[in-house]
């Protein structure tokens, strides 16, 4: 995806694509904030407030957001992409001497939709823990009322009202949610060719099933071969893919391999934070390496192992979720801590260094390499 620089003078309008209500605010805080952080939620609520009572807001500059949120623009842009990633916001740009943006707002998922989402549900569980997750489920659990001794006597519309005239139909605003998309994570042609037609139904890989497979492959880091094996294990007697079974098998496979459920730490450095290309020096090559790899793969390569320990995974997750450090900076920090701490990665030492570096307000691998030196 092409990246655009963002300046304080660039303008934006907010376009409300949906119906928003007070209950949505509760969902944002309970379900989304543990995943995307408080700043992203603050941006969403600020854009919501910019609408006032209109479907399309008046024009604002991005300096307006900086003033309200008390954050630099690069930080706001990074948090905004989190809203885009989870389907709360779509962004459009028109280039000019001053770029003009449209921020298209969508409703959060309902609790039922969230608990059944193959990516967000797993990440929420991992980020808040089992106790908080179960408490949240109890709060939104649908209660059943036993009506077996009752008889329904509800009147139908034609029993109460008579039709008198035809009223023209018009397009009214409706509640809209945006899809959370992942580019193809696996080779579907390979999967289809690897499973004989007599075993898997030709209609098994429909659009919805492919979306689920992509999401599971993304969150659980599954390649085409591993996904093909999992699909074969959950085919039912009709040759169709048992979607719930596939979710469970993917989760079990990941937990068996790594000892814990995943969170969204498999990101490399965002394009706008990467150092300029073209530096052929040794230092430039090292910085390019920090920019181009995600922290989990960096630590695997550093330790020359096929998988990192559960403790190391927890450290990386905390650097992402608690310290909000960009991926390349996490790589520099891990490298620094290993060098300074006898090649041992201890939680207390990493936290102490991360706290110090976080206060420095640096964002890129180049800046942190200077700090490390």
């Amino acid at each position: 995806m092409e990246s655009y620089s963002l300046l304080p003078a660039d303008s934006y309008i907010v376009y409300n694509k949906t119906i928003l209500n007070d209950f949505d605010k509760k969902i944002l805080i309970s379900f989304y904030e543990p995943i995307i952080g408080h700043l992203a939620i603050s941006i969403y609520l600020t854009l919501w407030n910019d609408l006032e009572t209109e479907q399309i807001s008046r024009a604002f500059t991005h300096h307006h957001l900086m003033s309200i949120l008390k954050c630099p623009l690069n930080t706001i842009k990074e948090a905004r992409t989190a809203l885009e990633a989870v389907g709360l916001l779509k962004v459009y740009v028109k280039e000019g001497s001053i770029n003009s943006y449209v921020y298209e707002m969508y409703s959060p998922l309902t609790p039922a939709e969230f608990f059944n989402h193959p990516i967000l549900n797993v990440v929420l569980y991992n980020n808040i823990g089992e106790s908080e997750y179960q408490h949240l489920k109890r709060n939104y659990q649908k209660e059943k009322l036993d009506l077996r001794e009752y008889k329904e006597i509800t009147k139908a519309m034609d029993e109460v009202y008579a039709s008198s005239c035809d009223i023209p139909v018009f397009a009214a605003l409706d509640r809209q949610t945006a899809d959370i998309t992942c580019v193809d994570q696996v080779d579907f042609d390979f999967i289809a060719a690897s499973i004989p037609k007599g075993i898997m139904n030709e209609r098994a890989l429909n659009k919805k099933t492919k979306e689920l497979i992509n999401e599971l492959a993304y969150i659980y880091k599954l390649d085409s071969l591993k996904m093909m094996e999992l699909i074969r294990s959950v085919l039912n007697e009709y040759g169709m893919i048992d979607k719930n079974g596939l979710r469970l098998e993917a989760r079990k496979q990941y937990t068996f391999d790594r000892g814990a459920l995943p969170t969204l730490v498999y990101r490399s450095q965002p394009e706008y934070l990467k150092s300029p290309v073209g530096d052929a020096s040794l230092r430039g090559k090292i910085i390019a390496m920090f920019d181009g790899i995600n922290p989990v793969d960096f630590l695997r390569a550093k330790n020359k192992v096929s998988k990192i320990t559960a403790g190391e995974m927890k450290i990386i997750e905390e650097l992402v979720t608690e310290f909000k450090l960009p991926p390349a900076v996490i790589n520099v920090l891990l490298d620094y801590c290993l060098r300074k701490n006898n090649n041992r990665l201890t939680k207390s030492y990493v936290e102490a260094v991360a706290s110090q570096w976080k206060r420095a307000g640096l964002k890129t691998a180049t800046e942190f390499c200077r700090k490390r030196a």
Side-chain angles (χ1 to χ4, degrees):
M1 182 79 63
E2 192 173 354
S3 179
Y4 291 87
S5 60
L6 191 61
L7 300 174
D10 287 343
S11 67
Y12 74 87
I13 60 172
V14 186
Y15 175 35
N16 186 12
K17 191 76 173 178
T18 184
I19 295 174
L20 297 167
N21 54 53
D22 287 340
F23 184 66
D24 289 324
K25 295 178 182 178
K26 191 172 182 180
I27 295 175
L28 289 168
I29 294 170
S30 297
F31 291 88
Y32 285 87
E33 189 170 350
I35 296 175
I36 62 177
H38 68 277
L39 180 56
I41 297 301
S42 295
I43 293 172
Y44 187 90
L45 294 176
T46 301
L47 296 177
W48 185 349
N49 189 66
D50 286 341
L51 285 166
E52 297 173 338
T53 59
E54 304 296 328
Q55 188 179 353
I56 302 176
S57 75
R58 61 188 174 93
F60 296 90
T61 67
H62 283 81
H63 185 268
H64 165 74
L65 286 179
M66 295 169 66
S67 300
I68 291 177
L69 297 167
K70 299 295 186 288
C71 285
L73 196 53
N74 277 348
T75 303
I76 292 173
K77 181 179 179 181
E78 185 176 1
R80 188 199 74 195
T81 60
L83 293 173
E84 300 166 34
V86 297
L88 292 173
L89 195 70
K90 288 187 178 181
V91 180
Y92 302 86
V93 62
K94 181 172 70 175
E95 294 184 88
S97 56
I98 296 177
N99 287 350
S100 177
Y101 290 81
V102 173
Y103 293 146
E104 192 172 82
M105 296 187 67
Y106 287 83
S107 295
L109 300 177
T110 66
E113 291 169 332
F114 205 101
F115 282 125
N116 286 287
H117 196 278
I119 294 178
L120 297 181
N121 181 44
V122 173
V123 177
L124 178 68
Y125 178 92
N126 192 58
N127 285 8
I128 66 177
E130 182 178 2
S131 176
E132 188 68 26
Y133 180 85
Q134 293 301 334
H135 177 72
L136 197 59
K137 284 192 76 172
R138 286 193 296 270
N139 284 346
Y140 292 97
Q141 189 171 18
K142 184 187 293 185
E143 295 188 14
K144 294 183 178 180
L145 181 64
D146 188 355
L147 296 173
R148 286 176 292 183
E149 296 182 2
Y150 293 79
K151 179 182 179 181
E152 183 178 3
I153 58 171
T154 308
K155 296 289 186 182
M157 175 173 277
D158 61 348
E159 294 180 276
V160 180
Y161 296 103
S163 176
S164 60
C165 63
D166 292 327
I167 300 175
V169 176
F170 69 100
L173 187 64
D174 195 6
R175 186 175 176 87
Q176 299 281 339
T177 58
D179 292 333
I180 300 170
T181 58
C182 298
V183 296
D184 279 354
Q185 306 289 305
V186 297
D187 185 339
F188 287 105
D189 291 336
F190 167 80
I191 291 174
S194 300
I195 304 177
K197 292 181 180 179
I199 297 176
M200 185 172 72
N201 194 303
E202 292 181 359
R203 299 192 301 274
L205 291 175
N206 54 45
K207 181 181 177 182
K208 285 292 183 183
T209 305
K210 284 183 176 181
E211 288 175 0
L212 174 64
I213 291 170
N214 263 328
E215 289 165 343
L216 293 176
Y218 164 72
I219 193 66
Y220 293 116
K221 299 291 284 182
L222 297 168
D223 59 22
S224 299
L225 181 60
K226 182 60 69 176
M227 181 57 74
M228 182 269 292
E229 293 171 355
L230 293 182
I231 289 173
R232 289 192 69 147
S233 72
V234 298
L235 291 173
N236 61 25
E237 64 270 26
Y238 304 107
M240 301 299 288
I241 297 170
D242 180 350
K243 295 179 183 179
N244 287 331
L246 187 60
R247 291 174 192 242
L248 291 173
E249 288 302 315
R251 186 181 306 167
K252 284 197 296 186
Q253 181 70 51
Y254 186 96
T255 306
F256 176 78
D257 288 343
R258 305 176 192 237
L261 287 173
T263 189
L264 298 178
V265 299
Y266 295 102
R267 297 177 297 165
S268 58
Q269 186 77 334
E271 289 295 327
Y272 76 95
L273 290 180
K274 287 186 178 180
S275 301
V277 296
D279 186 352
S281 67
L282 177 60
R283 182 172 176 275
K285 291 177 180 177
I286 292 173
I287 290 172
M289 181 270 294
F290 286 137
D291 279 339
I293 190 171
N294 68 63
V296 174
D297 289 337
F298 170 76
L299 204 54
R300 286 188 195 133
K302 186 76 177 175
N303 294 337
K304 298 179 181 179
V305 294
S306 60
K307 64 180 181 178
I308 64 176
T309 67
E312 290 169 333
M313 176 66 98
K314 282 292 183 184
I315 288 173
I316 295 176
E317 289 179 0
E318 186 166 328
L319 293 173
V320 173
T321 59
E322 299 298 325
F323 289 90
K324 310 295 183 187
L325 295 178
V329 172
I330 294 175
N331 292 336
V332 179
L333 190 147
L334 294 173
D335 184 63
Y336 176 89
C337 290
L338 287 169
R339 290 173 184 271
K340 294 291 185 180
N341 200 32
N342 297 320
N343 215 37
R344 292 185 299 116
L345 208 58
T346 60
K347 186 172 184 288
S348 58
Y349 186 77
V350 171
E351 285 180 348
V353 176
S355 297
Q356 179 186 357
W357 287 16
K358 179 68 174 176
R359 286 194 294 271
L362 308 179
K363 286 287 186 181
T364 67
T366 301
E367 292 169 330
F368 273 81
C369 279
R370 293 196 195 105
K371 185 73 176 177
R372 181 184 66 172

